[in-house]
Amino acid sequence: MTSAVPAPPRAESDDGAAGVDTGTDTQSRADADADTDADALTAAAHPIRTGWTVLPARMVALSIVELQKIRHDRSEIYSRAVTPLLWLAVFGETFTRIHAIPTGRTPYLAYLSPGIIAQSAMFIAIFYGIQIIWERDAGVLTKLMVTPTPAPPSSPPRPSPPAPRPWSRPWWY
Amino acid sequence: MNASTPALEVTGLVYAYKQNRAVDGIDLHVPQGSVYGLLGPNGAGKTTAIRAITTLLPIPPGMVRVFGRDPARDQMGVRRSLGYVPQQLSADAGLTGRENVANFARLFDVPRAVRAEKVERALDAVGLLEVADRMAKAYSGGMVRRLELAQALVSSPRLLILDEPTIGLDPIARDSVWRHIGDVRAATGMTVLVTTHYMDEAEEYCDQIALMHKGRIRAAGTPQQLIASLPPEASGTSLEDAFRYYSGGAGLEESEEGGDFRDVRSTRATASRVR
C-alpha cells in the first residue's frame, strides 16, 4: 500500500503477489512521464558519455584506481619484481649447473626466462582476481555496480547439456 | 521536468530468492525533495527492495520508476540519477579521501574541467575538505561514512539512497552524518531514501516512513501519523512502539527475530570496520 496515511497491520494472507501485474494505466502514464523526465535528466549537471566510448572510459577509470593504489603502496611493485628474479637466480642457476634439460646452444637462463615471466603474470592475475572477491565482500563492488558502468558482454549461451542416459547404459554405448 | 513526478514509484514489487519471497508486493511513492525512511526488522526485505531499485537485482518492467525511468528498460539512465551508499563499507582504504571521490566523479563522466571543483565541493559538503589528502584508512568510522556520502554526492544525484548509513557508529558520529545529509538536502533539494534500525533517527529526520515486515509494507505515513495510528491497547507514544507493533503483530510475544546468518555477518563486519 502506498497511502500517505498509516494503515493497520494486514493479516497474513496469500495476496502478496497481487501487485506483480502492473496496470496498463500506470504503465502508460509512467511511459509518458519518462519521456519528459528523460530529457530533464540528460540535461542535468554535465554531458553524459554514450556509445562505444563508455566501456573504454570505465576501464581507464578503474585502471587509474589501481595505479593510484600502487603509487601509495610501492611494496607491491617490489615484491612482484623480486619473485621472478628469485626464480631466475635460484632455479636458473641451479639447473644451469646440473644441465637437467638439454637446451643446445641456448643459455639456460634465456630458455627459462619466458616461462618465468609468464608465470609471474599469471600469479599477478590470480591475485587481482582474488581481490575482486574481497572487494565484493567489502561493498566496493556493490557501489561500483550502481555507477553507469556497463557490464562486459556476457559469454555466448552454452548449448544445453544432453539429457542424462539411463544409469544402466554407459555413455559410450 | 514535471515536478509532480515522484522521485521513486514502486508498484507491486516482488522479489524471491528461490522459495523465499524477500519482497512480497510492496508499493512506494516517494515525492521529490523528501526524506523517506524504509524501516523494518532484520530480514524484512529492506535491502532487497533497495537492491531492486538500484538496478542490482533483475526485476520485470513496470515495477519501479525512478524519476519516471524504469530500471528494467533504462538501467544506465537510472544509475546516472542515483547516489548510493550501501550498507557495507565501500570506500577504498588504499586511497586518499580526495582520490576516492575523484574516482567516482570519473565513473560518472564529470568533465575534467569541473571535476576538481566538484570533488572539492562534495568533500566540503561533508566536512572532509581539510583531511581530503589523508589516506582513507586513517579516517574514523564517522569520517568514512561521510566520505562515502561525498562519493555518492559528487555526481549531483537526484535520488540519494542510503542503506543503514549510521550502522556501527557512535551517537556523535551518527549525528554528524545526519547533519551533513540534512545540509546537503537543504542545499540541493535532493530526495533521500534511507533504511535504518534507529527509530530516533527516523523520527527526527524522515518526512515519511514505511514500516516493512516479512516483505510487505505494514504502514506508511509521517512519524506522527504512525504513532497516532496505534490502537489504544498498544499504548504507544513513540515510533519505536509503532515499529514494535507493526513488525511484531498483535503483541511482542508473537514477534520473531528476523535476519539470517549472512545478515548478521554483514552487519558485524561493517560495524567492526567503522570502529
Side-chain angles (χ1 to χ4, degrees), chain B residues 108-152:
Chain B
F108 276 91
D109 297 325
V110 176
R112 191 179 293 179
V114 294
R115 196 181 298 152
E117 186 198 336
K118 282 217 163 202
V119 169
E120 293 258 321
R121 265 198 231 159
L123 285 163
D124 194 26
V126 298
L128 289 178
L129 196 52
E130 287 179 10
V131 292
D133 295 315
R134 241 192 255 171
M135 297 294 285
K137 61 185 163 199
Y139 283 11
S140 68
M143 287 162 81
V144 173
R145 275 302 193 201
R146 283 190 275 141
L147 175 61
E148 291 173 323
L149 195 57
Q151 286 179 307

Side-chain angles (χ1 to χ4, degrees), chain A residues 1-2 4-6 12-13 17 27 30 34 37-38 41 46 48-49 58 68-69 71-72 138 143 145, chain B residues 5 21 27-28 65 67-69 73 79-80 89-90 92 99 108-109 148 151 158 216 218 220 225:
Chain A
M1 93 206 126
T2 51
V5 292
E12 284 299 315
S13 65
Q27 184 74 42
D37 296 344
L41 280 176
H46 52 265
I48 290 167
R49 194 187 295 272
R58 300 296 180 267
Q68 285 171 336
K69 282 190 210 171
R71 199 185 65 195
H72 288 300
K143 199 163 178 175
M145 284 165 69
Chain B
T5 306
R21 276 198 172 196
D27 297 338
L28 287 176
R65 296 261 170 191
F67 291 101
R69 288 177 183 259
R73 292 185 177 143
R79 287 179 182 181
R80 284 181 198 283
L89 280 195
S90 54
D92 204 320
E99 286 168 344
F108 276 91
D109 297 325
E148 291 173 323
Q151 286 179 307
R158 305 178 67 201
R216 293 180 184 176
R218 300 305 169 122
Q225 284 175 323

Side-chain angles (χ1 to χ4, degrees), chain A residues 20-31:
Chain A
V20 175
D21 296 324
T22 53
T24 317
D25 291 343
T26 310
Q27 184 74 42
S28 56
R29 179 169 50 81
D31 280 338

Side-chain angles (χ1 to χ4, degrees), chain A residues 6 23 42 84 102 108 154:
Chain A
T42 313
Y108 201 80
S154 57

Side-chain angles (χ1 to χ4, degrees), chain B residues 84-229:
Chain B
Y84 176 50
V85 178
Q87 196 180 109
Q88 304 103 318
L89 280 195
S90 54
D92 204 320
L95 301 175
T96 65
R98 191 185 301 278
E99 286 168 344
N100 263 295
V101 179
N103 288 331
F104 269 79
R106 221 173 270 120
L107 288 171
F108 276 91
D109 297 325
V110 176
R112 191 179 293 179
V114 294
R115 196 181 298 152
E117 186 198 336
K118 282 217 163 202
V119 169
E120 293 258 321
R121 265 198 231 159
L123 285 163
D124 194 26
V126 298
L128 289 178
L129 196 52
E130 287 179 10
V131 292
D133 295 315
R134 241 192 255 171
M135 297 294 285
K137 61 185 163 199
Y139 283 11
S140 68
M143 287 162 81
V144 173
R145 275 302 193 201
R146 283 190 275 141
L147 175 61
E148 291 173 323
L149 195 57
Q151 286 179 307
L153 292 175
V154 75
S155 60
S156 310
R158 305 178 67 201
L159 173 61
L160 181 64
I161 299 183
L162 310 167
D163 194 0
E164 302 195 25
T166 53
I167 190 168
L169 298 182
D170 62 64
I172 296 168
R174 280 167 53 192
D175 281 348
S176 169
V177 168
W178 273 107
R179 189 163 43 80
H180 284 98
I181 292 170
D183 290 347
V184 168
R185 185 205 165 205
T188 62
M190 74 173 63
T191 313
V192 181
L193 176 67
V194 60
T195 72
T196 180
H197 280 142
Y198 299 115
M199 294 304 119
D200 53 334
E201 285 180 359
E203 194 167 352
E204 189 172 347
Y205 299 106
C206 294
D207 302 325
Q208 298 264 322
I209 286 172
L211 286 173
M212 277 188 81
H213 184 47
K214 292 185 176 176
R216 293 180 184 176
I217 290 178
R218 300 305 169 122
T222 65
Q224 294 74 27
Q225 284 175 323
L226 289 173
I227 296 165
S229 72

Side-chain angles (χ1 to χ4, degrees), chain B residues 31-94:
Chain B
Q32 287 184 38
S34 63
V35 178
Y36 200 97
L38 200 54
L39 309 187
N42 290 329
K46 306 183 297 292
T47 298
T48 302
I50 294 275
R51 286 172 66 83
I53 293 164
T54 53
T55 74
L56 288 170
L57 294 176
I59 50 168
M63 286 186 173
V64 175
R65 296 261 170 191
V66 179
F67 291 101
R69 288 177 183 259
D70 190 333
R73 292 185 177 143
D74 184 8
Q75 200 179 49
M76 291 297 137
V78 168
R79 287 179 182 181
R80 284 181 198 283
S81 59
L82 292 182
Y84 176 50
V85 178
Q87 196 180 109
Q88 304 103 318
L89 280 195
S90 54
D92 204 320

Side-chain angles (χ1 to χ4, degrees), chain A residues 28-73:
Chain A
S28 56
R29 179 169 50 81
D31 280 338
D33 281 349
D35 293 336
T36 52
D37 296 344
D39 295 336
L41 280 176
T42 313
H46 52 265
I48 290 167
R49 194 187 295 272
T50 53
W52 67 270
T53 59
V54 177
L55 196 57
R58 300 296 180 267
M59 288 165 74
V60 169
L62 294 173
S63 301
I64 289 171
V65 174
E66 296 306 324
L67 290 172
Q68 285 171 336
K69 282 190 210 171
I70 288 174
R71 199 185 65 195
H72 288 300
D73 183 10

